[in-house]
Amino acid sequence: MAEAAIHRRITPPGFGEQVADALLSGRGIWPAVPAIVVLTVVAVIPFAILLSLGFSDFEMSRGAIISQTFSFSHLTNALTDPLYWITFQRSMNLALSTTALCLLFGYPVAYLFLTGGPWTKRLILVLTIAPLLTSGIVRTYAWLVILGGRGVLNSALLQAGLIDQALRIMNTHWAVLIGMVQIHLPVMILPLIAVMSRHDSRLVEASENLGASRIGTLRTVILPLSVPGIGTGSALVFTLTYTTFVVPQILGGGNYLNAATMIYEQVVFSLEWSKGSVSSLILMVTCLMVLVAIALLTNHFTKWTKGHDA
Amino acid sequence: MMHGPAGPSNTVETTAPVLGIGAVGKRFGATRVLQDFTLDVAEGEIVTLLGPSGCGKTTLLRCVAGFWEADGGTIEIDGQDIVDVPVNRRPVGVVFQSYALFPHLTVARNVGYALRMRNKPRAEVAQRVASVLETVSLTGFENRYPSQLSGGQQQRVAIARVLVMEPRVLLLDEPFNALDAKLRGAMQVELRQLIKRLGLTSIFVTHDQEEALTMSDRIAVMSGGKIEQVASPDEIFDRPATAYVADFIGVSNFLETEVETGHVRLPDGQTVMTDLTGGVKVMTRPHNLRLGPPEAGPWKGTVSFHRNVGPLIEYHVEASDGNVIRVSAMRQERDCPVKDRSQVSLSVIDPASCSVYPG
Ligand SMILES: Nc1ncnc2c1ncn2[C@@H]1O[C@H](COP(=O)(O)OP(=O)(O)OP(=O)(O)O)[C@@H](O)[C@H]1O
Ligand SMILES: [Mg+2]
């Protein structure tokens, strides 16, 4: 009798429950299926088209492709054209220096967040997140107002008698750099804060108790433990700035050619789709190379985390 | 106070406390967490702070270590006030409850941390780390990361990391909390022997009375940010100064009664001398009580529960006035085999061991 009752209770779960269980078990690829579908539609297919455009010569007639032959010519043309080299170098320089400056300015803010009281923390969070709530374009135009020939900065400097002639900042490399750093700073600060506040605050106290100065603690405890945050922040800022379009376009005054603006011109103005797709490929491959380098560096400095599985 | 080389003329100085805490107060907003806290710890002595959760034990340690600033009072080490000395210059070592080991450093580098921060030469660091690791029996674990160690091993690393800097005062905040009961017992004995061998002056924090009885030379029982009694474990257990201490340490039976000219009468007819007057509470330990057949005495009751606690049997006896009295007896000497619900009489073995407190 009792056995029968027990048997009845351990009947297998219903089909719906089984599906839900399988989805949430974390095993297999099921939870990723929606993302895979979306990515295939919006990324993989366009990418395939991009590849086929970049590696083929084709003849068009009335907006339709009539013949298509495989060819490396667009790639070899691009790699031998000094304009490409200069442009990609400019993009790379801009992205690397923006990343470095964001880290330089962002790290102290994250450190302040870590060591500060509750009000400091709140203030930093508000100041970091608030800019993200306004569009990048709006913020970029704000810099126009500040840095322009008759902008806030020049008026102030002139008034103070520090300069006798308006500085030309707009439409220069400097304007682009300033705008880029300001716009991407939160993207650096947030991962830093997230990683730093994950660690036990007792570690800092232990370090001081063991005789470390503030600098010693920063160098030997806080910095090594924040490496994953530095890695994530740098990867994000680099990717965003290396492929950026809006800021160079507005603050560079239309004559600041970087990779993204070049692709835009090739595709939209000169309708050279093959050139555009080759440029995009180069942009993507070089970006990935830097990301891999960042990942390797991050890994190298966080070897200790591998101990968890060993 | 000067510290010359040890010699016959220094006898007074060597008996002076290593750590002197005088009238320290600490408040958070309106709540006073420490009030007028005074405690001296002598050379090589282990004093345990024992008290319920939230009574201010950790707060006191944090003030001594310098993580928090006390609101008033003095904290002296070897007669020198350290209140204005920054954390990293105090000769104080802290073993944290969570260990706070550096996860990104190997055992050897965790242990050598204090020496590296003092810019000691490499060779000296290596040699001292090796010797400390041997002291805590962790030789061979040098290159592991903390996440690759068991709780007990992490605990040893935390202790080794502090020992290596040869602190004048060692502070331990519930260092065994994360360990299971058996390991905890073993570590208590081991740590006490180690501290004694090294002659370290220590404050040990716990809210586990057994741990306090094992570890301490003296126990300071705290309540609400103040010390109720500081004394040796035996004295705390046998002659608790207040009803609070008696209640906190060990099991105690309280009997409410009235003083009759210089003595109180126990329910079994015996008397206990006292200077108090009026309503009082008499405290007696379970092992100072004896069960007998119901006709043996005037203090009668019914056994409501009993259990074996290792070599002891613990009885709960419901007395005729409704009080539940706890009695313990060795398991072998069952001169009176007692079952639940049976009628018994109670008697005090040694009335002089009872304590009397104001009611
Ligand atoms: N940063 C703080 N701000 C406000 N109140 C605090 C703070 N830290 C501790 N307290 C209060 O101080 C009192 C004492 O805390 P403390 O940590 O010293 O207790 P404890 O004796 O160590 O307790 P436990 O045994 O639980 O560790 C508690 O009531 C606590 O709420
Ligand atoms: Mg505590």
Side-chain angles (χ1 to χ4, degrees):
Chain A
M1 281 294 143
E3 261 174 43
I6 289 169
H7 281 304
R8 214 171 305 135
R9 231 171 287 135
I10 50 174
T11 47
F15 179 70
E17 200 178 326
Q18 272 183 29
V19 170
D21 266 7
L23 281 179
L24 299 177
S25 70
R27 263 173 281 130
I29 57 161
W30 294 111
V33 165
I36 291 173
V37 170
V38 173
L39 278 179
T40 312
V41 175
V42 307
V44 176
I45 296 173
F47 183 70
I49 296 173
L50 195 70
L51 269 181
S52 82
L53 286 177
F55 287 99
S56 54
D57 284 321
F58 50 86
E59 281 174 50
M60 306 235 317
S61 157
R62 293 181 198 156
I65 297 169
I66 47 173
S67 83
Q68 196 172 355
T69 46
F70 181 80
S71 148
F72 273 119
S73 64
H74 301 294
L75 185 62
T76 44
N77 284 348
L79 291 181
T80 49
D81 187 345
L83 177 70
Y84 278 74
W85 284 97
I86 293 170
T87 309
F88 276 98
Q89 225 165 42
R90 187 182 292 130
S91 271
M92 185 63 78
N93 280 342
L94 178 67
L96 288 179
S97 45
T98 306
T99 308
L101 286 175
C102 280
L103 190 58
L104 196 69
F105 294 130
Y107 202 88
V109 177
Y111 178 77
L112 209 61
F113 182 89
L114 185 73
T115 53
W119 279 104
T120 317
K121 285 189 181 4
R122 250 165 260 170
L123 189 70
I124 289 176
L125 269 192
V126 168
L127 290 183
T128 310
I129 292 175
L132 292 178
L133 302 178
T134 56
S135 131
I137 297 183
V138 173
R139 279 181 285 157
T140 311
Y141 274 110
W143 279 109
L144 222 104
V145 177
I146 296 171
L147 300 176
R150 289 188 203 142
V152 178
L153 182 69
N154 271 323
S155 319
L157 289 176
L158 282 170
Q159 212 120 59
L162 290 172
I163 50 173
D164 354 296
Q165 201 182 346
L167 293 174
R168 193 174 158 270
I169 309 173
M170 272 316 296
N171 304 350
T172 66
H173 175 71
W174 294 110
V176 177
L177 189 62
I178 292 172
M180 295 284 273
V181 169
Q182 191 267 330
I183 284 169
H184 295 99
L185 204 48
V187 181
M188 179 64 86
I189 293 175
L190 290 176
L192 281 177
I193 285 180
V195 168
M196 280 189 185
S197 39
R198 207 164 60 194
H199 292 286
D200 188 356
S201 62
R202 296 275 143 91
L203 292 180
V204 172
E205 288 175 350
S207 160
E208 283 181 26
N209 176 253
L210 292 167
S213 59
R214 289 263 156 81
I215 297 274
T217 305
L218 177 62
R219 189 170 55 81
T220 57
V221 178
I222 298 176
L223 194 59
L225 289 179
S226 58
V227 165
I230 297 178
T232 311
S234 302
L236 283 173
V237 172
F238 178 82
T239 313
L240 290 172
T241 52
Y242 188 52
T243 58
T244 189
F245 175 73
V246 171
V247 179
Q249 188 76 356
I250 297 174
L251 296 182
N255 52 22
Y256 186 95
L257 197 64
N258 76 342
T261 46
M262 180 172 79
I263 294 168
Y264 178 73
E265 301 213 334
Q266 287 168 339
V267 173
V268 174
F269 288 119
S270 32
L271 294 175
E272 296 165 306
W273 287 22
S274 293
K275 271 191 178 177
S277 76
V278 163
S279 307
S280 305
L281 284 174
I282 297 175
L283 184 70
M284 209 170 77
V285 170
T286 45
C287 186
L288 275 178
M289 276 159 50
V290 174
L291 290 184
V292 167
I294 292 176
L296 288 178
L297 275 175
T298 309
N299 255 347
H300 175 76
F301 287 108
T302 54
K303 280 202 188 112
W304 56 275
T305 53
K306 307 300 174 298
H308 289 284
D309 295 324
Chain B
M1 200 187 291
M2 289 289 294
H3 254 265
S9 61
N10 282 336
T11 35
V12 179
E13 278 174 29
T14 47
T15 55
V18 171
L19 174 64
I21 302 168
V24 163
K26 177 76 189 170
R27 59 166 74 212
F28 290 106
T31 46
R32 305 179 109 214
V33 174
L34 289 176
Q35 302 180 47
D36 209 16
F37 189 100
T38 301
L39 178 70
D40 283 348
V41 187
E43 179 88 53
E45 192 185 24
I46 306 176
V47 174
T48 294
L49 299 183
L50 179 62
S53 191
C55 70
K57 305 181 294 288
T58 299
T59 306
L60 181 81
L61 286 203
R62 294 181 66 83
C63 289
V64 174
F67 301 135
W68 285 340
E69 208 175 305
D71 295 337
T74 57
I75 301 174
E76 294 181 351
I77 290 181
D78 292 324
Q80 195 196 346
D81 198 331
I82 58 161
V83 166
D84 294 324
V85 178
V87 179
N88 62 341
R89 304 220 174 267
R90 294 190 184 193
V92 173
V94 181
V95 176
F96 292 85
Q97 182 178 326
S98 52
Y99 312 148
L101 296 179
F102 302 122
H104 60 299
L105 299 181
T106 59
V107 168
R109 291 184 68 75
N110 260 287
V111 174
Y113 191 83
L115 300 177
R116 288 201 306 281
M117 290 300 119
R118 287 172 176 74
N119 296 317
K120 300 282 185 216
R122 258 161 195 270
E124 186 190 336
V125 174
Q127 182 255 319
R128 281 170 70 178
V129 166
S131 105
V132 168
L133 283 178
E134 200 186 325
T135 311
V136 298
S137 343
L138 273 180
T139 310
F141 290 88
E142 287 82 356
N143 295 322
R144 293 225 199 158
Y145 287 99
S147 60
Q148 298 169 308
L149 299 177
S150 74
Q153 290 163 344
Q154 291 183 20
Q155 164 81 77
R156 286 163 206 260
V157 176
I159 291 166
R161 187 175 67 171
V162 170
L163 291 186
V164 82
M165 66 172 185
E166 295 171 353
R168 195 72 182 105
V169 173
L170 182 62
L171 306 176
L172 304 117
D173 193 354
E174 310 200 20
F176 303 128
N177 252 19
L179 305 183
D180 65 66
K182 200 161 173 198
L183 186 56
R184 182 191 270 239
M187 285 293 288
Q188 285 166 6
V189 175
E190 200 176 298
L191 183 60
R192 170 163 172 96
Q193 286 171 341
L194 177 63
I195 293 177
K196 279 290 156 189
R197 193 167 73 224
L198 301 174
L200 282 168
T201 306
S202 317
I203 295 188
F204 182 91
V205 164
T206 182
H207 54 237
D208 180 318
Q209 44 162 309
E210 219 173 288
E211 193 162 290
L213 295 171
T214 312
M215 292 293 301
S216 335
D217 294 320
R218 282 192 300 154
I219 297 176
V221 179
M222 288 178 69
S223 130
K226 277 192 295 212
I227 292 186
E228 287 270 327
Q229 183 181 10
V230 201
S232 71
D234 286 350
E235 188 165 343
I236 290 263
F237 191 80
D238 295 333
R239 283 178 295 283
T242 63
Y244 175 86
V245 175
D247 197 28
F248 198 78
I249 304 259
V251 181
S252 30
N253 296 301
F254 288 100
L255 310 167
E256 289 184 20
T257 175
E258 295 278 330
V259 176
E260 315 163 8
T261 57
H263 67 267
V264 290
R265 188 165 297 278
L266 295 170
D268 66 351
Q270 304 187 71
T271 56
V272 179
M273 295 305 182
T274 178
D275 300 333
L276 298 170
T277 54
V280 293
K281 280 195 271 192
V282 181
M283 190 283 290
T284 172
R285 298 289 188 195
H287 63 264
N288 194 26
L289 289 168
R290 184 164 43 203
L291 298 184
E295 65 282 357
W299 190 8
K300 298 192 195 310
T302 314
V303 175
S304 58
F305 171 77
H306 81 275
R307 60 169 181 166
N308 295 346
V309 197
L312 290 179
I313 299 185
E314 189 185 295
Y315 296 102
H316 291 198
V317 178
E318 202 172 323
S320 37
D321 57 1
N323 259 345
V324 173
I325 307 292
R326 306 225 248 165
V327 181
S328 62
M330 292 302 288
R331 200 126 73 96
Q332 292 90 338
E333 46 177 71
R334 287 210 215 167
D335 38 16
C336 166
V338 187
K339 293 199 194 93
D340 283 0
R341 312 261 30 109
S342 57
Q343 300 286 317
V344 291
S345 71
L346 292 154
S347 60
V348 174
I349 298 169
D350 176 18
S353 309
C354 294
S355 308
V356 185
Y357 306 109

